[in-house]
Amino acid sequence: MGNSCNETIIVASYAKSAKESAISASHSACLAQQAIGASGATGATGVGATGATGLTGATGPSGGPTGATGATGVGATGATGLAGINGTTGATGIRGSTGSTGATGQQGATGEQGSTGIGATGATGIGATGPIGPQGSTGMVGPRGATGLTGPSGAGGGVGSTGATGSQGATGIQGSTGSTGPSGIQTTYATLTPRENQPPATAFATLDTRNSIAVLDFDDTTIENAIFLDIIPQFAILTSGLKIRIIWTATTATSGDCVWQAALERMTTDIDVDSFDTAASATATTNATSGVPNYTEITLTTIDSVAAGNGFRLKITRNATSASDTMTGDAELIAVEVRSAA
Amino acid sequence: MAYDFNGTNQYLEVATAVANRPCTMAAWGYLDTTTGARDIVSVSSKTTTSVLRLNVNFGQYRIADQGNVNAVANGAIVSAGSWNHYAGVFASGSSRTPYTNGVAGAQNTTSVAAITPTVTSIGAWFEGTSNSIQFFDGQIAEIGIWNAALTAAEIASLAKGMTCDKVRPQSLVFYAPLVRDLQDARGGLAITNNNGATVANHPRVYA
């Protein structure tokens, strides 16, 4: 008994209100020992802090007759209990809302512009501790979007504009002396064949064939002639005269010289009268094979003042009576070319 | 080049008569001699006396149409040693005219019967037998035969040296230039060289 009271005193020493409650309770309990101990009043429920547990009422004696129901004890109100222990940590707050969409990914690599990267969803925010966790912080910026697909190749660039003319180079070293060039552009003014011969009335070269090639036979003892008519081309340059090239061969001879002459007549005077200018001549040795053509060139500077566009007659003669004409047998004229001498 | 005949047995032959009346025959001839009767060109027969021919008889150029009678037209007197152009126009059985160097002789109008020549010869003719006669002595070239009667102007052109293919070529049926080669430049007929006529200088022509 005594211990229980002592305990009440001890407990009451913690707080005045509690002490007063405890004294009251102890007093009540003592009253209860004298009757039927009433149960200790229930400590008031801590609000917020749990209040101190009220003292347990003393157990009534057993074995006695059931006493009359004691009067309801009126326990003094217990001292306010000690502040309740802190509540347990609140439940984890509700998961924060989804973070906002991450920032737009960086632009794709060069090429055509890559598609816009989509930022990854931010990490879930962690709600702060609390009864209701605060809204999670905005998720972190998502990782950079993947590089966009390489765009198709761009169209080829246009041709660049012509560069500016380079500056003049330095003067080159003087080249070595070139080889002797041709004597000028050789232009053919007319080609004449035996079929175009307009033979003079007398002393004419006679028509013949050799292997079905028309030729004109020039005798080896009698001077004979062939005459061709043509027109000097409009573009002709005659300041240096004309070159007459005779293509011929020997009927049988394989050696000896043939003397050829060429004379020109401008067709601006009476055609009833021959008026050939002074003839020029050339002596040529025949080929060692009688059928091989020889090419004999005569430069004719006395051209009867023939001009471009003038008709002309060209007389080809074998001067068979010349001492220089040593070839035996006929000479066969195959063709004649009239060309520039400039 | 012309062909040179010895006056004894040489001649050229084509085994068909290339023309009959009306026709024209022409050639260049160079006589080595005026003695004898010398035929230049003819169409004749080895079985009948049918013949049209150009002939020089002792220097007298003449043409003959021998049907049932021998109708002759005289041209000019020619000399040996130079080229002359001979032509004869046989317009019909009653009209024939000789030309010497482009100059017409007297036309003969004797009427003669139709003829049936079968052979063409140069430098001779066949008087109804297989033996040719009156061989030419000298050179012949540029033989042309037309199946039409050429005009005097056309004959004159030939006499100036134009070759036969330049004068009324549409009527030309036979053309033997005789420039070395023995060929008919118009009809392609074969020409036989009998007894070795030889190549000689050609007359003056505009080829």
Side-chain angles (χ1 to χ4, degrees):
Chain A
M1 281 278 286
N3 289 341
S4 297
C5 293
N6 293 339
E7 289 173 0
T8 302
I9 296 168
I10 293 168
V11 171
S13 64
Y14 281 96
K16 182 180 181 179
S17 61
K19 186 178 177 180
E20 293 172 351
S21 298
I23 292 172
S24 175
S26 176
H27 182 70
S28 298
C30 287
L31 293 178
Q33 284 177 339
Q34 297 172 351
I36 298 170
S39 297
T42 301
T45 300
V47 177
T50 303
T53 303
L55 293 176
T56 303
T59 304
S62 65
T66 305
T69 303
T72 301
V74 180
T77 300
T80 300
L82 297 174
I85 62 175
N86 293 333
T88 60
T89 301
T92 301
I94 297 170
R95 179 176 296 178
S97 63
T98 301
S100 61
T101 300
T104 301
Q106 288 189 353
Q107 184 170 344
T110 304
E112 283 195 354
Q113 186 170 354
S115 62
T116 303
I118 300 172
T121 303
T124 303
I126 300 173
T129 301
I132 297 173
Q135 182 172 344
S137 62
T138 300
M140 295 175 64
V141 174
R144 178 176 299 176
T147 302
L149 296 175
T150 302
S153 298
V159 176
S161 58
T162 302
T165 301
S167 60
Q168 181 173 348
T171 301
I173 299 171
Q174 181 171 349
S176 57
T177 302
S179 58
T180 302
S183 58
I185 298 173
Q186 300 288 302
T187 303
T188 298
Y189 294 155
T191 53
L192 308 163
T193 68
R195 297 294 304 271
E196 291 150 327
N197 176 35
Q198 298 187 13
T202 60
F204 52 85
T206 53
L207 186 65
D208 195 0
T209 62
R210 183 164 184 172
N211 191 31
S212 299
I213 299 169
V215 298
L216 289 172
D217 288 346
F218 288 78
D219 194 73
D220 63 346
T221 56
T222 303
I223 295 174
E224 293 181 338
N225 309 277
I227 297 175
F228 303 93
L229 190 151
D230 210 327
I231 297 174
I232 298 291
Q234 295 291 348
F235 58 80
I237 299 172
L238 303 163
T239 52
S240 299
L242 292 167
K243 284 185 178 178
I244 310 300
R245 297 178 74 239
I246 301 170
I247 305 174
W248 63 281
T249 189
T251 299
T252 56
T254 55
S255 64
D257 293 344
C258 184
V259 178
W260 291 102
Q261 291 182 342
L264 201 76
E265 178 192 69
R266 181 175 56 156
M267 298 200 69
T268 56
T269 57
D270 186 356
I271 64 170
D272 289 333
V273 181
D274 290 346
S275 59
F276 287 95
D277 207 335
T278 304
S281 66
T283 300
T285 302
T286 191
N287 192 281
T289 301
S290 70
V292 175
N294 306 290
Y295 288 74
T296 300
E297 187 172 282
I298 301 172
T299 299
L300 193 57
T301 56
T302 49
I303 58 173
D304 200 19
S305 301
V306 72
N310 284 165
F312 71 93
R313 288 200 302 166
L314 174 66
K315 182 164 68 175
I316 301 296
T317 302
R318 179 184 179 183
N319 189 358
T321 60
S322 168
S324 298
D325 192 311
T326 59
M327 193 182 79
T328 302
D330 285 350
E332 298 174 345
L333 185 145
I334 300 169
V336 177
E337 178 192 9
V338 179
R339 63 161 57 179
S340 61
Chain B
M1 306 299 283
Y3 267 73
D4 189 33
F5 302 88
N6 61 10
T8 304
N9 63 353
Q10 294 173 336
Y11 67 100
L12 307 178
E13 180 178 348
V14 177
T16 184
V18 297
N20 201 336
R21 295 190 298 255
C23 68
T24 299
M25 293 189 286
W28 286 91
Y30 183 105
L31 282 168
D32 289 336
T33 177
T34 55
T35 61
R38 310 291 181 182
D39 262 41
I40 304 168
V41 58
S42 65
V43 289
S44 60
S45 170
K46 296 180 180 179
T47 57
T48 70
T49 58
S50 296
V51 65
L52 303 173
R53 62 189 180 123
L54 312 187
N55 170 271
V56 179
N57 187 38
F58 292 93
Q60 171 67 63
Y61 170 57
R62 61 183 187 174
I63 65 172
D65 182 341
Q66 188 168 332
N68 54 335
V69 296
N70 188 20
V72 176
N74 288 328
I77 301 294
V78 296
S79 56
S82 62
W83 283 104
N84 290 292
H85 188 258
Y86 302 100
V89 176
F90 300 91
S92 67
S94 58
S95 173
R96 57 205 66 86
T97 304
Y99 289 84
T100 310
N101 294 321
V103 178
Q107 179 190 27
N108 177 276
T109 57
T110 302
S111 182
V112 297
I115 59 171
T116 55
T118 57
V119 63
T120 302
S121 52
I122 299 167
W125 73 290
F126 292 89
E127 192 179 21
T129 73
S130 58
N131 297 319
S132 55
I133 59 172
Q134 298 187 4
F135 299 102
F136 195 82
D137 189 357
Q139 299 153 36
I140 299 174
E142 297 289 330
I143 300 102
I145 299 177
W146 293 256
N147 59 5
L150 298 187
T151 66
E154 289 170 325
I155 299 295
S157 180
L158 292 168
K160 288 181 178 178
M162 292 298 153
T163 52
C164 299
D165 56 346
K166 295 182 178 67
V167 177
R168 207 189 293 196
Q170 68 273 24
S171 298
L172 185 65
V173 293
F174 178 79
Y175 174 37
L178 300 187
V179 182
R180 194 170 293 276
D181 301 321
L182 281 177
Q183 62 179 13
D184 168 20
R186 181 60 178 177
L189 297 172
I191 301 174
T192 302
N193 185 350
N194 291 299
N195 304 313
T198 57
V199 173
N201 281 343
H202 209 68
R204 172 182 175 273
V205 294
Y206 295 83

